[in-house]
Amino acid sequence: MESLSSPPETSSFVPISVHQSRTPDSFVSGPAILHYHAANCKLVALERDLTSTPTLNALRGAAVNGSTAAQNGANGTEDEADKETVIEGLDLWVTSDKFLLYNTTTSTGLSITYPSISLHAIQRLKLPTDSDSPATEHQGLYMHITKPPAQSSFPQESDEEDSLTVTLVPPPSSTEPQPTDPEEAESEPESETQKLYNAVSACSNLHPDPVEEEEDQESAFASGLIFPGSGEGGLPPPVDGSSGWITADNMHEFFDEEGNWIGGGEGPGLPGGDLGPGAGTVRGREDGEEQGGEEGVDGDGDETKWRRTD
């Protein structure tokens, strides 16, 4: 979450409709794609989340930040800290790069990266400013945002990520019909909140969470692609029976042209794997002829029968 000192220019973004109607010159460079834009939106957040996040709290302006309400949210009772506060007059941009908010009245704004938005959903809520009609419900976009760690702190593995929740309520579109018939309601066009939700979902998919290096190693260990090295940071132990590492330069010392083990001792096998007696035994053609006597091929002995094929 970063502060914005000037309002974003809508003309600097490429509308999603224009982007989808033509082949872009480049898929890795160029201006960001604008998926959604709305003006005069409302933001609903708890007082404690506002006062603990200076970048977000700045949207209210200096006069409000120093008010008694703000001080009560930071130092007052628990009920005052849990009070919901509404910030009005916000412009928002959902771009392929970041989520942007700006208040032209206070000349303050912020940008949010999509990986920090851990959850977003459509929510129905009542605004605390609707004192005249408390039964009125609004539809908004609920977002769970991970706050960046403080620069002065030293994060530990056991520390939990600090987060906050906000709800953005876009203004209703005046062109949207309000059907009263249930059959007509099924074909009701998307609301502004649904459009906002779809835009955030599409942009979030463009910024997937990075895969942790430990997860890659664990999956490779489980599949048997790699083996653990020594405690001093060296390479894994050599394959059993190889008397050292087998490479393309010394492979002829351990295998013949037909791939038979000639290195002496037991042949190499999977680390820690015991396949049982007879596993890895190489039988030549002559051995088969010797074993294919009366009992091996044509006999009626108890030994397992096998037939030579040319």
Side-chain angles (χ1 to χ4, degrees), residues 199-260:
V200 174
S201 298
C203 294
S204 296
N205 293 334
L206 300 176
H207 301 266
D209 295 334
V211 179
E212 297 292 340
E213 183 178 356
E214 295 181 357
E215 295 180 3
D216 283 343
Q217 292 183 355
E218 291 178 359
S219 59
F221 280 128
S223 60
L225 297 177
I226 61 175
F227 305 101
S230 63
E232 292 76 16
L235 294 172
V239 177
D240 295 339
S242 68
S243 302
W245 288 101
I246 302 176
T247 64
D249 297 331
N250 64 357
M251 183 178 294
H252 63 279
E253 300 177 5
F254 305 100
F255 297 94
D256 60 15
E257 295 180 355
E258 297 180 358
N260 299 318

Side-chain angles (χ1 to χ4, degrees), residues 20 28 68 83 90 106 162-163 184 241 288:
Q20 293 175 342
V28 296
T68 304
K83 182 184 63 175
L90 300 179
T106 61
D162 195 6
S163 60
E184 296 180 2

